[in-house]
Amino acid sequence: MPKEAKKTAAKAGAKKKASEPKEEKLGLKFQPKPKSFHIGGDILPKRDLGRYVRWPRYIRLQRQKKILNQRLKVPPTVNQFNEPVKGNQSIEVFKFLEKYRPETKAEKKTRLEGLAQAKVDGKEAAAEKAPAVLKMGLTHVTALVESKKAKLVLIARDVDPLELVLWLPALCRKMEVPYMIVNNKGRLGALVHQKTASCLALTRVNKEDEAKLKSIQESAMTLFNDNSTLAKKWGGQIMGQRTEFKLEKQRLAFEAEKLKKQKLGV
């Protein structure tokens, strides 16, 4: 090979080397490659697979029931349970009822032992009534409402099946007993040392709490007993996102067609 050709080839090689990135200086021994998620390729990133899980039957039923309650037309008798007492008012009611939690077995035993001891000692113990406490149990609460002994009734909104307490608001309205629908049967249960409670009733309170009870009764009468809108308001008929988009598309197409006809003078 001639010397000139060798020089030209050497120059070209030098230029090529200069244009190539200096991998050794950068510390890269291998050229980086884009990730490939094909079979046998890179590991897939973590993502939420909740939609692909086969959930237990009771969870599927819960979710289906919730969706059906949104889609179907719900009568007022059932729909009133979707509008419980909220916010500060709910906190105020539960705080007030904390004072009237039933006695535990130990507390009751101590109280009765004290009364018995006083009687043995010959002390004239005043005819002490049992303390004012919350009454629980659907049958018991119903009897108190029917006899108009209940001063305030609390009904849980999430009782299952709902038919157990569905008629109770109507009975309270008829007997003019103030009632409230509250948000959680677990919270009601906690007031009476139980896991859950469908409804509770208060028959009497201490003298110092009479004004507070009257205030709560007035709120209950305004929000529930005398609320004619609540007794007539239908619920449900909330469509899903896809259906809403479809209906909106149909509406826009109908309006466009109507505008087109107006322009043509049809």
Side-chain angles (χ1 to χ4, degrees):
M1 184 183 278
K3 287 183 180 180
E4 288 180 5
K6 282 183 180 178
K7 283 180 183 178
T8 310
K11 281 180 183 179
K15 282 180 183 178
K16 195 175 180 183
K17 282 179 183 178
S19 63
E20 284 177 2
K22 296 178 181 179
E23 292 177 4
E24 289 180 7
K25 286 186 178 180
L26 293 171
L28 298 173
K29 291 185 178 180
F30 301 101
Q31 189 69 20
K33 291 187 292 183
K35 287 189 176 183
S36 169
F37 298 117
H38 294 290
I39 294 169
D42 293 293
I43 297 167
L44 288 167
K46 287 185 179 180
R47 51 188 169 180
D48 183 18
L49 300 174
R51 287 179 62 83
Y52 306 101
V53 174
R54 184 172 176 80
W55 295 99
R57 187 167 177 269
Y58 78 96
I59 290 177
R60 295 202 303 272
L61 287 173
Q62 280 175 358
R63 291 177 179 179
Q64 287 165 4
K65 184 181 175 183
K66 184 185 173 184
I67 295 297
L68 279 174
N69 284 336
Q70 288 176 348
R71 302 285 182 269
L72 300 176
K73 195 175 180 183
V74 181
T77 316
V78 178
N79 188 52
Q80 66 181 330
F81 285 88
N82 294 327
E83 297 186 20
V85 181
K86 292 176 185 174
N88 294 333
Q89 207 158 21
S90 174
I91 293 165
E92 186 185 345
V93 171
F94 278 99
K95 198 173 180 181
F96 172 71
L97 295 176
E98 279 284 340
K99 296 179 185 179
Y100 296 97
R101 298 180 77 177
E103 295 174 302
T104 60
K105 286 183 178 180
E107 288 169 350
K108 188 175 181 180
K109 186 180 176 183
T110 308
R111 180 172 64 82
L112 293 175
E113 280 176 355
L115 286 171
Q117 188 63 42
K119 198 172 182 181
V120 168
D121 295 343
K123 293 176 183 177
E124 289 185 8
E128 189 183 337
K129 283 185 180 179
V133 293
L134 288 162
K135 308 295 181 184
M136 62 176 170
L138 189 55
T139 309
H140 191 191
V141 170
T142 306
L144 292 171
V145 173
E146 285 174 340
S147 59
K148 293 190 177 181
K149 288 180 181 176
K151 304 291 182 189
L152 180 68
V153 175
L154 297 180
I155 308 166
R157 71 177 288 268
D158 54 346
V159 177
D160 189 28
L162 191 60
E163 287 78 3
L164 289 171
V165 292
L166 196 60
W167 45 271
L168 196 51
L171 180 65
C172 289
R173 275 197 213 98
K174 186 181 177 182
M175 306 308 288
E176 296 182 353
V177 174
Y179 77 93
M180 281 184 169
I181 294 169
V182 294
N183 217 4
N184 198 317
K185 61 185 179 182
R187 288 182 77 185
L188 287 185
L191 288 172
V192 289
H193 312 295
Q194 301 289 326
K195 282 186 179 178
T196 59
S198 60
C199 56
L200 299 177
L202 193 61
T203 51
R204 60 191 177 89
V205 293
N206 301 330
K207 280 188 179 180
E208 64 270 18
D209 291 328
E210 282 177 359
K212 184 72 174 173
L213 176 64
K214 195 174 181 183
S215 167
I216 292 170
Q217 283 175 328
E218 284 171 3
S219 299
M221 292 296 280
T222 307
L223 289 171
F224 294 96
N225 292 61
D226 300 334
N227 190 349
S228 57
T229 310
L230 191 67
K232 295 175 184 176
K233 186 181 175 184
W234 287 71
Q237 293 182 300
I238 300 166
M239 295 296 107
Q241 206 172 33
R242 281 190 295 180
T243 309
E244 281 180 2
F245 284 146
K246 188 180 174 182
L247 292 171
E248 183 64 17
K249 193 177 177 181
Q250 287 175 356
R251 188 184 66 78
L252 292 171
F254 178 75
E255 284 180 1
E257 186 67 25
K258 192 178 178 181
L259 194 66
K260 192 176 178 183
K261 284 180 180 179
Q262 282 176 354
K263 283 180 181 178
L264 293 171
V266 179

